Amino acid sequence: MTDKTIRHVFFLVSTLLLFVTACSYNKGTEPVPVKKDVSYKLDVKPILVTHCYTCHADTATNPDRPGSPVFTDFAQLQHEALTPSNVNTNYTILIARLKHIESPGMPYNRDPLPDSLIQVIQDWVLVGAPEN
């Protein structure tokens, strides 16, 4: 092999490695519940009522609400809570939007909820989002 061929092969291998590294996506570690005995009625619902029902209740009058899931309908809430996010499959749509990973971030046009409140909802999701 000539020096020119070796350089050419080295260039191709380096380019390929750079391409593979640049295209890989580290979605992070899978979340683990902090509290496994989280209750929908006692822990999660009060957060939703305070921070989400303005837009996500069947009585919501917020003009940004059309097309939004209705969290007073538990089936719709559970669907959002258990459906994997298209942006990061380690999270569900609900959690990815609460963490502002998926658009639109929730609460809509506001800062994310405190991490402690998101963790409560995430724990509930990770144990299967039961209506308990």
Side-chain angles (χ1 to χ4, degrees), residues 3 9 21-22 29 32 34 36 38 62 70 75 82 98 100 105 112 118:
D3 282 344
V9 168
T21 316
T29 58
V32 177
V34 171
K36 293 184 181 184
V38 66
N62 189 316
V70 176
L82 297 176
L98 288 172
H100 285 222
I118 295 173

Side-chain angles (χ1 to χ4, degrees), residues 61-132:
T61 57
N62 189 316
D64 294 324
R65 194 219 143 323
S68 298
V70 176
F71 291 169
T72 49
D73 176 345
F74 189 80
Q76 286 187 39
L77 169 62
Q78 196 172 48
H79 174 77
E80 296 290 311
L82 297 176
T83 301
S85 166
N86 290 324
V87 176
N88 184 331
T89 55
N90 277 338
Y91 298 107
T92 65
I93 293 170
L94 178 64
I95 299 303
R97 289 188 176 177
L98 288 172
K99 289 179 171 277
H100 285 222
I101 294 170
E102 183 173 307
S103 184
M106 293 292 155
Y108 186 70
N109 282 339
R110 295 198 324 241
D111 290 334
L113 297 179
D115 289 340
S116 60
L117 296 181
I118 295 173
Q119 185 65 53
V120 170
I121 297 169
Q122 181 170 289
D123 287 348
W124 172 72
V125 167
L126 290 171
V127 296
E131 191 173 7
N132 58 352

